[in-house]
Amino acid sequence: EEERAHIEALIAQKEEQRQKLTSDLVDEEQRIAQMAREASSLKTLIARLTAPDSRIVPSPKPAILGALDPATRGAGKTLLSKLTVSRVPQRPKFTEARGTLQLPVSGNILITYGAQNAKNEVSMGLTIAAREYAQVIAPFDGNIVYAGPFLDYDQLLLIETGEGYHILFTGMARIYGQVGDRLLAGEPVGIMGQV
């Protein structure tokens, strides 16, 4: 009876935390949408999204042992001490991955980095002609810091890769994921729009 009451209390606590996280996510999405409405350029948007005071700061996770019943807490410590954690190999830094990144979508490269674009400006990225509804992938690990409409870019996806670098995607009909999602290289991030 005591165990059932304890489990029900934990379930209620988990539901309360889920509702708070959902509420926090809605607030964060509204705050980011407001930033996008106020930004007049991509540089302004990126600067606002990456400013230290605008970052999403994850709350600390409760310790596993703290949730165990006091009578079983010692057994949990013994069990955890016997577990071996395999180390995940360190991924290269974004600056070290130069020349090894996959293209985000299959297609013909129309404009390369540093070439003149249609506006007679120096291109800061690649322009790729892809087939309609082609799958778009993340070329490198990162976190989604913006996903949604922005100025005349239609759908914009901005992935922070670390070291002050971001990967920016435009021209997609649909974006998979939302702000705060962690992506791995090769993971689908959306589909291309109509040609």
Side-chain angles (χ1 to χ4, degrees), residues 10-116:
L10 288 174
I11 291 171
Q13 182 182 13
K14 181 178 178 181
E15 178 61 24
E16 183 181 314
Q17 289 174 348
R18 188 191 62 77
Q19 288 176 357
K20 183 183 180 329
L21 287 174
T22 301
S23 173
D24 290 350
L25 179 60
V26 168
D27 292 346
E28 185 67 14
E29 287 173 344
Q30 290 172 350
R31 188 181 69 78
I32 289 173
Q34 181 64 31
M35 281 184 189
R37 285 190 294 274
E38 294 171 356
S40 58
S41 70
L42 275 173
K43 285 184 181 181
T44 306
L45 177 65
I46 291 170
R48 287 185 180 180
L49 289 172
T50 58
D53 61 338
S54 72
R55 306 287 306 221
I56 300 172
V57 179
S59 58
K61 294 182 180 177
I64 295 173
L65 295 177
L68 294 175
D69 183 82
T72 61
R73 194 169 286 146
K77 286 183 181 177
T78 304
L79 176 64
L80 288 176
S81 67
K82 291 181 181 179
L83 294 175
T84 57
V85 179
S86 62
R87 292 210 169 246
V88 177
Q90 287 289 344
R91 301 283 295 181
K93 293 181 179 181
F94 188 74
T95 53
E96 296 169 352
R98 183 178 179 172
T100 65
L101 298 179
Q102 296 180 43
L103 288 177
V105 66
S106 294
N108 296 323
I109 298 175
L110 301 178
I111 301 173
T112 59
Y113 179 84
Q116 296 292 318

